Amino acid sequence: MDKSGMHASRISREYDDEVKEFLDFAKRSLPNNNGRFFCPCKKCCNLTKLSANDIYDHLICDGINLSYTKWIWHGEGGERTSTSNTYVDNEANEDDESEDRLDEMFRDVGEEFADRSNELDELLSDSKQPLWPGCSKYTRLSAVLKLFNLKAGNGWSDKSFTALLGLLKDMLPEDNELPKNTYDAKKILCPMGMEYEKIHACPNDCILFRNDYKELHACPICGASRYKPREHVVGNASLKGPPAKVLWYIPIVPRFKRLFSNPSDAKNLTWHVDKRISDGKLRHPADSPQWKTFDNAFPEFGHESRNLRLGLCTDGINRHGNLSSKHSSWPVMLVIYNLPPWLCMKRKYILLCLMISGPKQPGNDIDVFLAPLVEDLKKLWDEGVIVFDAYRKENFKLQAMLFCTINDFPAYGNLSGYSVKGHKAYPICEENTCYYQLVHGRKIVYMGHRRFLDRFHPYRRLKKAFNGQQDYRNAPQPRTGFEVYERVQGINVTFGKTQKLISQRGKKTKTNVEIRSNEKSPWKKKSIFFDLPYWKTLDMRHSIDVMHVEKNVCDSIVGTLLDIKGKTKDGLNARLDLIGMNI
């Protein structure tokens, strides 16, 4: 079938006739589709079923996806089953199958690059262009990919990689298509890179300049300029300098699509259902009570084994190494708990989605920067996205949920909105936290651990080894998500480093007018995660990572037992405090 008309101008009669012929072909080839077919326009990329009239409008307005050369989703060369998007080719051979897989990959990423169709077409042509005339082993794209894998795996510099490309280009036949330097090689792979967003932020962490604030040049809360001032202005150059603060956001939806476009990754993402051993032992998050309770509460979500359960982790890093200890940038990462235990914490499966730039840590204002990620998580829960599963050869609606956060204790306080310092620093006990102010050490210690032991544990009877008293109290019960939500929903917080907290905690405002309340609460804010519809139903929303607990506790114990200088907790003040506590 001659398809050259699809490359003609969209306002030409030739293109219009070709579109009509395409629709007639689809109707003849797939008569049982009730008049609805996958739309192959540049925006839909065969991901959405529409009526023939709507497809005609899309193809005229947006044009056809030029990488869709074989109309396999509309009956060319075989039949697509009615229950799934699996294609059955009656004439297929091994070469055709590999070509179809390549087309499927580009169809899957086509939605991301709908506005970059020319680059995608170039990438597709590079994937079919031999490295030199007659070469059957490598294409231009596959050769560059293999070389870049070697570069990344061995830590080559750009300079050495350019020298290698120049040497290889001289060794190969004269009419080879290998790029001559690193810059040209990166241009070939550019369309395969992940999209990202640079979102300007208020330098005082009050807002992000997006949505309603997108066109503003100053923060509406603190008045700080969105841009740094230029020191030297030449002629009529713009006075607008670089942004004062930038949030880097890498959207998560395209990355999930890419995971499922790889057959081996798509297979591993259902390991928790297909290959996990269910014998009552806790080896995987899927064995936890929260996983099972969530499936019972939302059976539609739990029925689809490919729906993702995510863990969020963040902490401050000093990207300048030891050169400066005053800088703190905060990466926010997601881990996928669907994967088997030996893969889910591997570097390639940990998704960096946000980079909050410093130099100051976001602290309580981290909710401002989490807004783009939470919006995507809400979309993945409420609507879902159509994703192609390369392992099962079908499209399905992908949903995802945030299973929990996992951080150290200070970051726990930033994300949950709970004050992790002072007399009520223990989130389980809250107002009933057993604290003791050391007289000589001038620190607050928490002594009520024996409440969590068994009722008749011998430690409950001991006096001298603890604080001179026996302890038979019952352990406090953690508050449910609904109870926490009731406590925090009335808290009024204005984000920003220059703003004082106005809440029920009784803090003072800028005008020193005290906001009085009947009860001072340890909660500082309503966490942005409560915007997720399911968040309040989770039994465990925030976790403490094992590494920090083990390291800090082990360092203190070993340092004290071995009397390591700088590590031991034993000293004159500690001895005097022990006497004061009858220990």
Side-chain angles (χ1 to χ4, degrees), residues 149-408:
N149 285 336
L150 287 174
K151 178 184 186 300
N154 295 281
W156 296 344
S157 66
D158 287 353
K159 183 177 180 181
S160 64
F161 191 60
T162 297
L164 175 65
L165 289 175
L167 181 62
L168 291 177
K169 191 169 180 66
D170 289 339
M171 290 180 175
L172 295 175
E174 293 184 359
D175 48 357
N176 68 81
E177 297 293 335
L178 193 71
K180 60 184 178 181
N181 53 42
T182 304
Y183 176 75
D184 291 340
K186 288 182 177 180
K187 283 176 62 178
I188 294 175
L189 299 181
C190 183
M192 296 184 71
M194 296 304 302
E195 62 178 286
Y196 62 90
E197 299 178 24
K198 289 175 62 178
I199 305 173
H200 296 179
C202 169
N204 294 319
D205 300 345
C206 302
I207 61 162
L208 296 178
F209 290 98
R210 58 194 294 268
N211 298 337
D212 295 340
Y213 303 130
K214 186 176 182 180
E215 304 300 328
L216 298 183
H217 290 267
C219 174
I221 296 176
C222 68
S225 174
R226 177 176 179 173
Y227 303 98
K228 296 179 181 178
R230 285 189 180 275
E231 296 182 0
H232 304 287
V233 180
V234 180
N236 296 324
S238 173
L239 297 176
K240 186 171 66 174
K245 191 167 186 176
V246 174
L247 169 70
W248 296 77
Y249 176 51
I250 307 173
I252 56 176
V253 174
R255 305 172 82 179
F256 292 154
K257 289 184 176 181
R258 288 202 173 193
L259 278 175
F260 279 100
S261 67
N262 185 318
S264 62
D265 288 340
K267 181 180 180 181
N268 287 330
L269 286 169
T270 58
W271 177 92
H272 64 285
V273 171
D274 300 334
K275 296 187 178 181
R276 178 175 59 91
I277 300 174
S278 299
D279 56 0
K281 296 181 180 178
L282 187 62
R283 298 188 181 92
H284 187 270
D287 299 317
S288 65
Q290 177 158 299
W291 191 296
K292 300 169 185 176
T293 303
F294 192 85
D295 283 349
N296 293 332
F298 302 97
E300 292 184 2
F301 182 90
H303 181 70
E304 175 56 75
S305 61
R306 291 171 288 193
N307 288 337
L308 300 179
R309 327 268 177 138
L310 309 171
L312 182 144
C313 46
T314 182
D315 200 0
I317 62 170
N318 182 9
R319 60 185 183 182
H320 301 295
N322 295 325
L323 298 178
S324 171
S325 60
K326 297 181 179 180
H327 193 100
S328 180
S329 294
W330 283 60
V332 179
M333 294 167 285
L334 292 177
V335 294
I336 304 174
Y337 288 142
N338 296 49
L339 294 167
W342 56 88
L343 290 180
C344 80
M345 293 299 170
K346 288 286 187 181
R347 181 177 175 180
K348 68 175 287 190
Y349 293 110
I350 296 179
L351 308 181
L352 174 66
C353 51
L354 289 171
M355 175 57 77
I356 305 171
S357 58
K360 296 180 180 179
Q361 63 176 341
N364 194 57
D365 305 320
I366 195 170
D367 287 10
V368 173
F369 301 97
L370 290 172
L373 175 61
V374 171
E375 288 178 8
D376 275 355
L377 290 172
K378 286 177 65 177
K379 177 184 176 182
L380 282 167
W381 174 262
D382 294 333
E383 305 171 15
V385 292
I386 302 299
V387 174
F388 178 72
D389 186 335
Y391 177 67
R392 295 168 180 81
K393 306 295 182 184
E394 63 182 15
N395 284 339
F396 74 101
K397 186 172 79 169
L398 172 68
Q399 292 181 284
M401 58 87 63
L402 186 62
F403 190 75
C404 68
T405 70
I406 179 165
N407 317 274
D408 61 3

Side-chain angles (χ1 to χ4, degrees), residues 458-495:
Y459 281 5
R460 285 181 174 267
R461 301 193 300 271
L462 298 181
K463 294 182 180 180
K464 249 185 178 182
F466 293 94
N467 58 352
Q469 298 176 2
Q470 295 179 337
D471 194 342
Y472 291 103
R473 293 173 298 172
N474 293 325
Q477 293 297 319
R479 296 186 184 273
T480 66
F482 291 98
E483 291 173 337
V484 172
Y485 180 73
E486 289 296 324
R487 294 177 66 83
V488 301
Q489 64 174 340
I491 298 179
N492 179 24
V493 176
T494 302
F495 292 113

